[in-house]
Amino acid sequence: MNKIGFTFSGIFVITGIITLLQTTIINLVMPKIGKVAFQFAMAGSYSPNEYHINFLSINVAAICLVVVGVALGFKFFKTK
């Protein structure tokens, strides 16, 4: 087993999972922050769609990191 390669593949997986969690949390919290800001300022109208951030490309890259990390981890685990 190549220990360095296996370690780096684990780092890829962890980085991808953390990125997916962060983007999910940001998309859940930002509309609530926008609503509080509008209530505090008492200006205009509030729409949660204005605070939705498109993280499609970042999420695709994070999923690719997870898939590549798992595939490389399996490869490094199987090799001698």
Side-chain angles (χ1 to χ4, degrees):
M1 177 170 76
N2 187 350
K3 294 179 183 178
I4 295 173
F6 188 73
T7 303
F8 278 117
S9 64
I11 290 171
F12 283 171
V13 171
I14 291 171
T15 303
I17 290 171
I18 289 173
T19 303
L20 288 172
L21 287 173
Q22 285 177 344
T23 57
T24 302
I25 290 171
I26 288 171
N27 270 335
L28 291 175
V29 172
M30 284 304 290
K32 292 177 181 25
I33 292 173
K35 184 175 182 179
V36 170
F38 270 108
Q39 287 176 349
F40 183 72
M42 293 183 168
S45 62
Y46 168 74
S47 173
N49 293 333
E50 294 175 1
Y51 289 93
H52 185 277
I53 303 169
N54 186 9
F55 286 121
L56 180 65
S57 60
I58 295 172
N59 286 342
V60 168
I63 291 170
C64 289
L65 271 176
V66 171
V67 170
V68 168
V70 168
L72 287 176
F74 182 74
K75 178 186 170 230
F76 287 129
F77 183 74
K78 286 293 186 180
T79 59
K80 290 186 179 180

